[in-house]
Amino acid sequence: MKFCSSCGHAVEHRIPEGDHQPRAVCPVCSAVHYINPKMVVGCIPETPDGRILMCKRDILPRIGKWTVPAGYLEMGETTAEGAARETIEESQALVTMGRLVAVMDIPRVDQVYLIYHGTLAADAHFGPTPESSEVCLMREEDIPWSEIAFRTIEIALRAFFEDRRLGISRVHHEVVRLPAR
Ligand SMILES: [Zn+2]
């Protein structure tokens, strides 16, 4: 940040009194501009016969790779609402949000992922969107593991299938360590 979003003056980068790390501080209106990690919310939509709705990305990054619906949480949304909205945007599908499957911290890129389980009706409509060139239902054995767009999505899917096999519900938490930038 170079300019104050409250008054437009150039900001200074310094540690405010009582704080512990540098912030963008406005010398004119005294506003302190905090920048915090972003939340990525999504879901694993499952049909009654156990198939998962997967999307082939038609946008950068990882265009052409597979994912479950997920994206940035918007202001004013709950995480479950955001996951449902992202599912519509990426697959046209209406899901009923269920339990939380996985929480993943990725400090290297300042993101936190929250992935839910979603219930998709047997006759649910779905299809391609501007964000997904293909949207289809896959059995566990059909998941293209080497073509999954993001490490976080692979972790969440593997956790989901493991829980389903064991017949248990739990929230997986993982700190995802990507190579240093
Ligand atoms: Zn200002």
Side-chain angles (χ1 to χ4, degrees), residues 62 84 147 152 161-162 169 180:
R62 314 287 165 85
E147 296 293 308
T152 45
F161 288 126
E162 183 185 10
S169 295

Side-chain angles (χ1 to χ4, degrees), residues 35-169:
I35 299 172
N36 299 99
K38 284 190 184 314
M39 308 267 292
V40 178
V41 294
C43 78
I44 298 173
E46 184 187 24
T47 55
D49 66 1
R51 289 178 296 166
I52 305 301
L53 191 72
M54 298 288 293
C55 303
K56 190 174 197 178
R57 289 174 63 82
D58 204 22
I59 49 172
L60 292 170
R62 314 287 165 85
I63 192 164
K65 301 290 186 186
W66 291 89
T67 186
V68 293
Y72 290 117
L73 183 66
E74 299 282 8
M75 304 294 273
E77 278 181 335
T78 67
T79 54
E81 287 166 353
R85 174 186 50 75
E86 286 291 341
T87 306
I88 293 170
E89 289 177 4
E90 295 186 12
S91 71
Q92 303 184 40
L94 275 172
V95 292
T96 303
M97 219 48 69
R99 73 178 184 89
L100 192 57
V101 173
V103 177
M104 290 157 286
D105 298 328
I106 319 151
R108 163 58 171 86
V109 291
D110 304 306
Q111 292 179 349
V112 177
Y113 269 68
L114 293 178
I115 303 294
Y116 285 89
H117 174 244
T119 299
L120 190 63
D123 61 350
H125 169 77
F126 60 84
T129 67
E131 299 180 28
S132 309
S133 59
E134 282 180 57
V135 176
C136 61
L137 295 171
M138 292 185 187
R139 291 183 188 81
E140 180 178 358
E141 55 270 32
D142 299 326
I143 301 284
W145 293 108
S146 63
E147 296 293 308
I148 300 296
F150 303 103
R151 173 98 182 100
T152 45
I153 299 301
E154 181 183 346
I155 291 169
L157 276 170
R158 288 193 188 280
F160 168 77
F161 288 126
E162 183 185 10
D163 287 358
R164 193 171 72 172
R165 236 181 337 268
L166 297 171
I168 57 174
S169 295

Side-chain angles (χ1 to χ4, degrees), residues 4 7 26 29:
C4 177
C7 76
C26 180
C29 77

Side-chain angles (χ1 to χ4, degrees), residues 9-41:
H9 197 276
V11 295
E12 297 171 349
H13 291 270
R14 60 179 176 83
I15 301 176
E17 199 175 321
D19 205 337
H20 58 280
Q21 61 182 39
R23 312 282 181 189
V25 181
C26 180
V28 174
C29 77
S30 303
V32 180
H33 300 281
Y34 297 93
I35 299 172
N36 299 99
K38 284 190 184 314
M39 308 267 292
V40 178
V41 294

